[in-house]
Amino acid sequence: MTGQMPSAARPLFILAMDQRDSFQRTLFDVTGTPSADQLARMRDAKALIFAAVRRLAGTQPAGSRLGVLVDEQLGADVAREARPAGFELAMPVEVSGSSRLAFEYGDQFGEHIEAFDPDWVKVLVHFNPADPGQLQHAQTVTLRQLHDWVTAHQRRWLLELLVPPTREQLAAHEDQAMYDEEARPGLTAQVIAGLTAAGVRPDIWKLEGYETTAGAELVLDTVRSASPGSACVVLGRNAPQRQLDHWLDVAAPLPGFAGFAIGRSNWNQPLADFLAGRQDRAATEAQIAGHYGHYIARYAEASGQIGKG
């Protein structure tokens, strides 16, 4: 079984850079199939991000572990270097940028997993209890297919669950912030309960941050009852530092949370500045490393549990 389960006392801090569709569109203004030169520039950008996070290897709080989540298309070299550099490796299987879950390499997704042998298999899904029933069923079937594959191949996996509001839900709660606080915890709990009832039980639930302890506890209670043995980590959602700090402050003290998987909040703006010629490579690496180190320190301080189990 690959991938050691994280816990509150032994959390996993993942630097996520598996973005593909948004990465090429927003940072490189590439639509459609990239040219060879565009691919080379994007792969170099991911190498820059990894060079930045490598600066933190071995500096994490006692008992905690560092990880990288990176894709094959733009980050194959990073994926091969991650574990020798002291990081756990997670890799995605879903088509990037799609609102409906599908495997990037179709029925051959397992062959690509085996070729890189990551510690963690990751899948992202957008899922709301108000989605059309046919869509919910189709996505549940696909998730169950992945669950069955990783179980048969003795692998660990994490499910990144995004619960975006429907137009009606957003209108009912005025804006995204109110939806996040008032509605999303309960909706997330409904999705988790439904998926686990269908036999979908990831080792890690990668979840959006919570505004209140009560909201986080509601979701954790569902995970404990419906998916015992699973851990939860906080995702970043490209949130500004102040927002993300709050999400980590809420989650870190709660048993059940076992780290984070944060991506663009670490590297998006520094990388944009580098690509625009506003700062050099060394300064960009230092800035990304500083952001990643900040979130690790913030989580560790809020937790009070790291290294005690």
Side-chain angles (χ1 to χ4, degrees):
M1 180 74 73
T2 57
Q4 180 184 349
M5 277 296 294
S7 66
R10 300 181 64 82
L12 177 60
F13 300 126
I14 296 175
L15 187 291
M17 55 168 133
D18 64 319
Q19 290 80 0
R20 287 145 283 160
D21 178 69
S22 63
F23 194 80
Q24 71 175 38
R25 281 188 297 101
T26 63
L27 288 168
F28 292 87
D29 196 27
V30 174
T31 56
T33 303
S35 68
D37 179 64
Q38 290 167 334
L39 277 174
R41 291 184 65 227
M42 290 189 284
R43 288 166 178 163
D44 179 66
K46 295 216 171 181
L48 185 157
I49 297 170
F50 185 56
V53 303
R54 286 186 73 160
R55 297 182 179 204
L56 277 73
T59 69
Q60 68 271 23
S64 65
R65 291 167 290 144
L66 304 182
V68 293
L69 168 57
V70 68
D71 59 289
E72 177 180 341
Q73 180 192 13
L74 303 178
D77 289 343
V78 172
R80 295 184 184 102
E81 295 170 13
R83 278 185 295 199
F87 292 81
E88 294 199 9
L89 173 62
M91 297 188 75
V93 296
E94 78 279 354
V95 172
S96 181
S98 174
S99 59
R100 182 179 181 131
L101 174 61
F103 295 130
E104 182 170 16
Y105 299 106
D107 290 339
Q108 284 74 50
F109 72 87
E111 297 172 21
H112 288 260
I113 294 170
E114 296 287 356
F116 283 87
D117 190 29
D119 299 290
W120 298 92
V121 177
K122 170 259 178 181
V123 65
L124 179 151
V125 67
H126 298 80
F127 205 116
N128 189 303
D131 289 340
Q134 185 179 16
L135 175 61
Q136 293 189 55
H137 175 73
Q139 299 209 116
T140 301
V141 168
T142 304
L143 288 171
R144 180 59 193 263
Q145 182 183 354
L146 179 62
H147 170 95
D148 291 346
W149 188 92
V150 296
T151 300
H153 291 80
Q154 295 187 301
R155 292 189 170 275
R156 294 199 187 277
W157 68 300
L158 58 91
L159 198 168
E160 179 175 354
L161 175 60
L162 299 179
V163 187
T166 63
R167 213 175 310 176
E168 294 76 17
Q169 289 166 346
L170 198 59
H173 295 280
E174 297 184 9
D175 59 21
Q176 180 74 44
M178 294 300 290
Y179 166 80
D180 281 343
E181 180 173 346
E182 297 174 352
R184 182 162 50 76
L187 294 172
T188 302
Q190 286 183 52
V191 175
I192 292 171
L195 290 177
T196 53
V200 177
R201 295 185 176 86
D203 297 283
I204 297 176
W205 293 92
K206 184 170 179 268
L207 302 172
E208 297 165 277
Y210 296 101
E211 302 301 325
T212 66
T213 298
E217 286 280 21
L218 174 64
V219 174
L220 286 177
D221 286 345
T222 304
V223 171
R224 277 191 284 264
S225 61
S227 187
S230 298
C232 299
V233 299
V234 181
L235 60 84
R237 211 172 73 180
N238 200 23
Q241 181 174 297
R242 178 177 54 82
Q243 179 72 71
L244 199 41
D245 282 349
H246 175 67
W247 288 345
L248 297 181
D249 288 347
V250 168
L254 302 177
F257 278 99
F260 62 68
I262 299 172
R264 291 170 295 170
S265 300
N266 288 305
W267 49 257
N268 195 65
Q269 191 57 53
L271 191 56
D273 290 339
F274 170 73
L275 294 170
R278 291 188 289 267
Q279 65 185 16
D280 64 19
R281 195 177 191 97
T284 303
E285 288 184 15
Q287 197 173 8
I288 293 170
H291 291 163
Y292 185 37
H294 166 83
Y295 293 124
I296 292 170
R298 184 81 181 207
Y299 192 100
E301 182 181 359
S303 167
Q305 306 174 78
I306 295 175
K308 294 183 178 180

